Amino acid sequence: MGGLDGKKGLIFGIANKYSIAWGIAQALHGEGAELGFSYAGEVLTKRVEPLADSIGVTFVEMCDVTDDAQIDTLFNQAADHFGSIDFLVHSIAFAPREVLGGQFVDTSRDAFKLTLDVSCYSLVALARHARDLMPNGGSIMTMTAYGSEKVLPNYNVMGVAKAALECTVRYLAWDLSEDGIRVNAVSASPIKTLSSAVISGFRKALRYSNEASPLGNAVQEDVGDAACFLLNDQASKITGQVLYVDGGYSIMGSPTREVLE
Ligand code: NAD
């Protein structure tokens, strides 16, 4: 018996076995949830399908979240397959490589728009569709990072997108409260994945964060455990929040002992 027995949900954002979304999927599966996966495009099929097979997930569909028609199709497929769902995980972000380094001031209009579209607006679009599949209420979560609040060099426009995403969580939480749907974000430590590896200087940032966090960096499994909580009825009065799964990095006003020594 798991805490999510009988619950069904969609996970967006598995690219490979290093994805945070895959850590979340494994944890939700371990708690007994029935899952469906949506991934960005064909080049990822050979990575995502074996992961889905390994935990018995049969709903595995492509959806580029910049395309409204693909989002419509995906949710029609999900309605046919699941009838209704209880939760949705949004673990999606993208910025062109050239703006994840150098100066933020050089961000082009196109790069800004694309980053905010994929990394923030997509949550609005997915939440709107998810609402139709959640007649009994539900829980939606997304992934954010501390670069939304404080400057993390090279994170640049993604920090701006995460600030917008966290605000989006609050507005969605208010709107969807009428439907009994909660919306929250997890703010995670730096974790080595396909997307994060593209950020200039990421390896150094990962090492620094690990030393500067009271409990060290969180990993995919830690985020998975937090997701099980947020998507479960135990969190039934928690909405519009950012839950920090960052080893305590965000509480520090000065580097920890290890960094100072
Ligand atoms: P990842 O590359 O494994 O996941 C990002 C996902 O976004 C991929 O599956 C990718 O295919 C998907 N995506 C990009 N553009 C898309 C599009 N147009 N349509 C559909 N999907 C699209 O990397 P990750 O680190 O697991 O990132 C997941 C989330 O976690 C992101 O929101 C990221 O910002 C956030 N996050 C990551 C870290 C970190 O250090 N890795 C820390 C905090 C938050």
Side-chain angles (χ1 to χ4, degrees), residues 13 15 19-20 40 63-65 91-93 143-144 162 189-191 193 195:
S19 292
I20 293 173
C63 175
D64 178 338
V65 295
S91 186
I92 289 176
M143 291 301 307
T144 188
K162 293 303 190 192
S189 302
I191 297 175
T193 63
S195 297

Side-chain angles (χ1 to χ4, degrees), residues 7 11 15 20 29 34 64 95 99 114 132 170 172 217 242 259-260:
K7 302 266 191 205
I11 301 184
I20 293 173
H29 171 70
E34 183 184 344
D64 178 338
V99 295
L114 179 59
D132 296 336
R170 292 187 282 274
L172 289 175
N217 282 338
V242 177
V259 179
L260 290 171

Side-chain angles (χ1 to χ4, degrees), residues 55-253:
I55 57 170
V57 170
T58 56
F59 183 91
V60 188
E61 299 291 345
M62 280 183 274
C63 175
D64 178 338
V65 295
T66 61
D67 182 343
D68 287 330
Q70 291 191 34
I71 295 176
D72 285 344
T73 303
L74 185 280
F75 277 90
N76 286 333
Q77 291 165 326
D80 287 345
H81 186 92
F82 291 105
S84 63
I85 59 172
D86 304 286
F87 62 82
L88 182 145
V89 175
H90 173 275
S91 186
I92 289 176
F94 178 78
R97 178 186 287 260
E98 67 272 14
V99 295
L100 293 172
Q103 291 199 296
F104 170 64
V105 71
D106 292 325
T107 309
S108 68
R109 189 184 301 274
D110 283 347
F112 190 98
K113 279 196 207 166
L114 179 59
T115 304
L116 272 282
D117 186 12
V118 176
S119 315
C120 178
Y121 179 74
S122 61
L123 178 65
V124 182
L126 298 188
R128 188 166 58 244
H129 283 77
R131 176 175 57 180
D132 296 336
L133 291 188
M134 292 180 170
N136 305 315
S139 181
I140 296 174
M141 66 162 280
T142 185
M143 291 301 307
T144 188
Y146 194 47
S148 65
E149 295 168 55
K150 302 286 180 190
V151 173
L152 303 181
N154 298 318
Y155 202 54
N156 296 352
V157 67
M158 190 56 81
V160 175
K162 293 303 190 192
L165 182 72
E166 290 174 19
C167 192
T168 295
V169 163
R170 292 187 282 274
Y171 277 89
L172 289 175
W174 163 240
D175 279 356
L176 302 187
S177 62
E178 286 180 4
D179 304 282
I181 299 170
R182 300 181 293 104
V183 187
N184 292 289
V186 166
S187 184
S189 302
I191 297 175
K192 196 171 169 222
T193 63
L194 200 60
S195 297
S196 61
V198 171
I199 303 166
S200 286
F202 181 76
R203 275 195 7 221
K204 272 192 192 162
L206 189 73
R207 214 178 315 128
Y208 174 78
S209 160
N210 194 43
E211 286 169 10
S213 303
L215 300 176
N217 282 338
V219 295
Q220 281 85 341
E221 288 77 8
D222 300 306
V223 178
D225 289 341
C228 287
F229 169 65
L230 284 176
L231 300 178
N232 196 311
D233 296 339
Q234 283 166 338
S236 63
K237 287 292 177 191
I238 300 177
T239 196
Q241 300 298 319
V242 177
L243 177 62
Y244 292 84
V245 182
D246 65 351
Y249 183 86
S250 56
I251 66 165
M252 299 304 294

